[in-house]
Amino acid sequence: MTSQSIIFVVIYLFTLLTAALEMVPLSVAALLGAFLTIWFGLSYGVFTYEEATSFIDMKILGLLIGTMIVLEVAYRSGIFRLLALYAIKISGGDSRLLFIFVCLTSAVISMFLSDSTALLMIAAAAATISRLMDQDPSPYIVSAAIMVNLGGTSTLIGSVSNMIIGVNAGLSFMEFIAYLAPCEITLWILTMLALYMVYKPHFVVKKSVPTYNPWESIEDKSLFNKSALLLILMIGLFLVQDQLNVGPEAVALGCAVLALSLTSVDPSDIFRSLDWETIFFLSGFSVIVKGLEKTGFLSQLSQVFLSLSGSNPGGATALMLWISGLASSVVSNIAIALTFTPVIKALPQVNSTALWSALVLGTNLGGAATPMSGVVVIMAINALKREGSVVSFAEFTKVGTLTTLIQLGFSTLYLMLRFGLVG
């Protein structure tokens, strides 16, 4: 390892450390690391200024920002809250059915909303019903956090890490679903079964639920109808983007323009509501990883990875899954996706689709193992505190670790069989 590589590795680790210890916000840590990368990169001649200006992938940013705008407009229409309220209403007071609907609704809604927004909405609805039914909200809200983290694993827009991997791997919306949807659906079932067995003693006899009409939660019917049509249009265009010869970022940005043009929402209000923390973290960390790549360190890392796997495609895929999964339990999955993307690109003569799929699964599944794994878990614990129900670090870790190990274990088997890596 050269002295230049050491400097950039130190910058990388410094960024992760300052973010993990919450010395500064995530975005500030990434931007500081990006500043140091540019400074030392130009000073040591590792790259030119012109090269540095291309370090941020505008396709990824376009996909992210466009999707955020469409979903923020849809969120304000009440469409996702309507789905959540209907799921709870259908349960009819049966705590076991309510549990199933909370889990399924959490997973489905997180395919379209950011994880934090999805959890806030589900937690609010579940807490309200738990109070009305005089039940402990912890089984529902903890399970919601785990299912929100799992939901959207098989879609290109399901998480920021998916967008990063999909754009770099050249995977279309339909290819994402084809490779990963069977695994995700099975993981939903296995995870719900594990959670049900853990919380089974909490489920009591059926109680009556107060009568309410979910449609009363919709205040602006016109906005609701337009938002529903825009969501259908965006997903439909994602499905046929290959035939249109455009990238997913073009679909997302085009639908975002329509959402702002055809609805009555205030664009400036929508822009203020976007998750700029994630946008700037993604931008800053992209620069840091590109700096590492320019030193040749990530190419060396890919060779180390290949030697550890014994140049075996099955071993390489399993190793990628578990390393990224365990790393994502303590480090932002965006950082893990950005770090391992160039590593996969540098690997010769391997089943790259299997490795990309392993990275998708790993970066998604590691996000709910412990309270330190992500903001969604912290939000769930805080929501329970507000309801007077305390879940300790050890209690959540017990449930989160169990479900994470089950998910990673099944995913290993799925990848071996799906891509013919056995034997």
Side-chain angles (χ1 to χ4, degrees):
M1 185 185 298
T2 66
S3 59
Q4 295 174 349
S5 296
I6 292 174
I7 291 173
F8 284 87
V9 169
V10 169
I11 293 173
Y12 177 90
L13 295 176
F14 169 77
T15 303
L16 292 182
L17 183 63
T18 54
L21 297 179
E22 298 182 347
M23 298 169 64
V24 293
L26 279 175
S27 56
V28 176
L31 291 174
L32 178 58
F35 170 77
L36 294 174
T37 297
I38 299 295
W39 179 275
F40 284 102
L42 295 178
S43 299
Y44 284 91
V46 177
F47 47 77
T48 65
Y49 179 77
E50 287 69 25
E51 289 176 318
T53 58
S54 64
F55 281 179
I56 298 175
D57 193 327
M58 299 309 295
K59 289 184 178 181
I60 297 175
L61 282 185
L63 176 59
L64 177 59
I65 294 173
T67 303
M68 281 182 174
I69 291 173
V70 174
L71 296 180
E72 180 63 28
V73 172
Y75 173 71
R76 289 166 186 254
S77 75
I79 189 171
F80 298 111
R81 180 172 177 78
L82 178 74
L83 294 174
L85 291 175
Y86 259 116
I88 294 170
K89 182 180 178 67
I90 294 172
S91 69
D94 188 322
S95 56
R96 292 166 299 182
L97 274 179
L98 177 59
F99 169 79
I100 293 172
F101 279 120
V102 166
C103 287
L104 287 176
T105 304
S106 300
V108 171
I109 289 180
S110 68
M111 295 173 70
F112 304 102
L113 289 179
S114 68
D115 286 354
S116 56
T117 302
L119 181 74
L120 283 173
M121 184 170 54
I122 296 296
T128 300
I129 296 300
S130 296
R131 284 197 301 269
L132 294 172
M133 295 175 63
D134 193 25
Q135 291 186 3
D136 180 8
S138 58
Y140 304 109
I141 295 180
V142 169
S143 298
I146 292 172
M147 294 302 294
V148 160
N149 179 73
L150 175 59
T153 299
S154 65
T155 64
L156 179 63
I157 61 173
S159 67
V160 178
S161 60
N162 283 13
M163 296 181 190
I164 295 168
I165 297 166
V167 169
N168 280 281
L171 296 175
S172 69
F173 192 86
M174 282 304 296
E175 287 174 326
F176 234 90
I177 293 175
Y179 290 133
L180 296 167
C183 181
E184 181 178 3
I185 292 172
T186 306
L187 287 176
W188 286 9
I189 297 170
L190 293 175
T191 303
M192 285 193 295
L193 181 61
L195 290 169
Y196 178 81
M197 297 306 296
V198 169
Y199 290 116
K200 188 176 180 180
H202 291 258
F203 301 136
V204 296
V205 296
K206 184 175 180 179
K207 292 185 177 182
S208 60
V209 177
T211 302
Y212 64 92
N213 181 7
W215 279 102
E216 292 178 354
S217 66
I218 304 299
E219 298 177 357
D220 189 335
K221 296 294 194 298
S222 175
L223 178 59
F224 175 87
N225 293 332
K226 290 176 182 178
S227 297
L229 289 174
L230 281 167
L231 278 178
I232 294 171
L233 175 64
M234 184 172 74
I235 294 172
L237 290 175
F238 275 135
L239 296 178
V240 298
Q241 72 177 66
D242 288 339
Q243 286 71 38
L244 298 175
N245 293 318
V246 297
E249 69 282 354
V251 172
L253 288 171
C255 290
V257 172
L258 289 176
L260 295 173
S261 303
L262 301 178
T263 62
S264 57
V265 295
D266 182 358
S268 60
D269 195 25
I270 293 293
F271 296 151
R272 281 193 294 269
S273 300
L274 298 184
D275 187 359
W276 291 105
E277 177 85 3
T278 296
I279 293 169
F280 280 111
F281 177 78
L282 171 60
S283 301
F285 211 84
S286 294
V287 173
I288 297 170
V289 172
K290 282 293 184 180
L292 266 178
E293 188 177 0
K294 285 292 183 180
T295 65
F297 175 78
L298 293 183
S299 294
Q300 297 172 5
L301 184 62
S302 67
Q303 295 306 313
V304 173
F305 178 86
L306 199 61
S307 64
L308 287 175
S309 64
S311 299
N312 178 278
T317 301
L319 190 61
M320 178 61 69
L321 171 69
W322 283 87
I323 289 178
S324 60
L326 295 176
S328 294
S329 67
V330 292
V331 178
S332 164
N333 63 356
I334 297 176
I336 300 302
L338 287 170
T339 302
F340 281 99
T341 291
V343 172
I344 293 179
K345 285 184 174 181
L347 288 173
Q349 300 177 343
V350 293
N351 188 330
S352 59
T353 305
L355 284 173
W356 288 122
S357 299
L359 184 58
V360 170
L361 289 168
T363 53
N364 279 274
L365 302 181
T370 74
M372 296 189 303
S373 298
V375 67
V376 170
V377 178
I378 296 172
M379 290 170 64
I381 292 174
N382 289 336
L384 285 169
K385 284 182 180 178
R386 290 193 295 270
E387 297 299 317
S389 180
V390 178
V391 174
S392 68
F393 185 98
E395 288 172 332
F396 187 94
T397 300
K398 177 183 176 181
V399 179
T401 301
L402 171 65
T403 54
T404 299
L405 291 177
I406 290 173
Q407 292 165 359
L408 289 173
F410 175 79
S411 296
T412 304
L413 177 63
Y414 173 83
L415 290 170
M416 296 300 109
L417 297 176
R418 174 64 177 81
F419 296 102
L421 303 176
V422 179

